[in-house]
Amino acid sequence: MYYLLGISVALASFLIINLTVSVVASLAWRAMSALFEGASLGTRARLIFGLRVLPIVVASIAVFAFIVPGYLLHERENSGEIVSNELALLGIVSLVSILIAICRVIRSGLATRRLMREWFRSSSKVEITGIDVPIYQIEHEFPVLAVVGIWKPRIFVAEKVLTSLGESEFRAAIAHEYGHLVGRDNLKTTVLAFCRDLLFLPIARGLDKAWVQNAE
């Protein structure tokens, strides 16, 4: 019961702190967005990303640096305390949200790996003068032009894009995708998806939308 109570306290605290800081971060962006209206899109995107991951960072630090050590140091094993129904419910909700977030990130990663393997099998590397980014041409029914992957991202482009765009247009499109690659936007998207799945309430969806708009 001692460790079950401790785990329940930690999970419930993580959920409550995460929710509270998410509300604060969302309100902070609403108050600050006008102040950063003239800032570059990159600066705005980095600020929004920082606000979006702040809840999980604060909750993790609070739980692992203060709540768990404090419980182990000061709570007696024979205190006789039990896990209340309210505490159990909060702990279960917190655990389920964490598991959903982990499963969704894993599933997304596996889907990305399958997509990259499939595209690599039918791809050919494209050499474009003045562009050092690895670009792979693929046969696809849609005009695909995208950065795929997190740790070793690649740019894939459908043949119909190469044939339909002029050189200057294609370079502009590649420059746009290269900006996503340099900014590691795929990794950030995964992190934001994990943070979003930790909340059952759409508290910080406005931050998610704002980040996508500015990153694009």
Side-chain angles (χ1 to χ4, degrees):
M1 182 59 69
Y2 173 77
Y3 291 106
L4 179 60
L5 178 62
I7 292 172
S8 299
V9 169
L11 288 171
S13 300
F14 183 88
L15 178 64
I16 293 171
I17 295 171
N18 189 29
L19 287 170
T20 302
V21 181
S22 292
V23 172
V24 173
S26 296
L27 294 176
W29 173 244
R30 291 183 184 181
M32 297 165 55
S33 59
L35 297 176
F36 286 86
E37 193 68 37
S40 68
L41 294 176
T43 298
R44 288 170 59 88
R46 287 190 292 271
L47 175 61
I48 296 167
F49 181 80
L51 288 172
R52 192 62 185 87
V53 301
L54 184 63
I56 189 174
V57 171
V58 172
S60 298
I61 292 175
V63 169
F64 292 107
F66 298 102
I67 294 174
V68 171
Y71 180 85
L72 295 175
L73 288 173
H74 301 294
E75 184 69 23
R76 293 181 292 109
E77 291 194 37
N78 57 352
S79 65
E81 291 187 57
I82 62 172
V83 180
S84 66
N85 293 334
E86 294 80 5
L87 181 60
L89 178 60
L90 287 173
I92 291 172
V93 171
S94 180
L95 179 60
V96 169
S97 67
I98 293 172
L99 293 177
I100 289 175
I102 293 174
C103 289
R104 191 163 294 179
V105 168
I106 292 174
R107 186 173 62 182
S108 176
L110 293 176
T112 299
R113 288 185 61 183
R114 288 195 297 268
L115 180 65
M116 289 189 71
R117 285 199 299 266
E118 178 184 342
W119 283 0
F120 264 127
R121 282 197 295 267
S122 60
S123 69
S124 57
K125 196 169 184 179
V126 178
E127 299 291 344
I128 300 177
T129 305
I131 298 179
D132 299 326
V133 185
I135 304 172
Y136 295 88
Q137 176 183 326
I138 59 173
E139 296 285 343
H140 204 281
E141 57 182 318
F142 295 105
V144 174
L145 177 56
V147 176
V148 181
I150 295 177
W151 307 116
K152 293 182 179 180
R154 300 288 189 273
I155 295 179
F156 290 91
V157 54
E159 183 181 9
K160 60 174 57 179
V161 174
L162 289 171
T163 57
S164 61
L165 294 181
E167 182 178 353
S168 60
E169 293 173 322
F170 181 69
R171 286 182 178 275
I174 290 296
H176 176 85
E177 297 302 324
Y178 184 66
H180 287 304
L181 191 150
V182 172
R184 303 197 69 84
D185 285 347
N186 284 1
L187 175 60
K188 291 177 180 177
T189 299
T190 302
V191 172
L192 292 177
F194 181 82
C195 294
R196 181 174 63 249
D197 288 335
L198 289 175
L199 299 174
F200 288 105
L201 302 175
I203 294 175
R205 296 296 168 84
L207 284 174
D208 293 330
K209 184 178 180 180
W211 181 81
V212 171
Q213 290 174 341
N214 285 274
E216 285 295 331

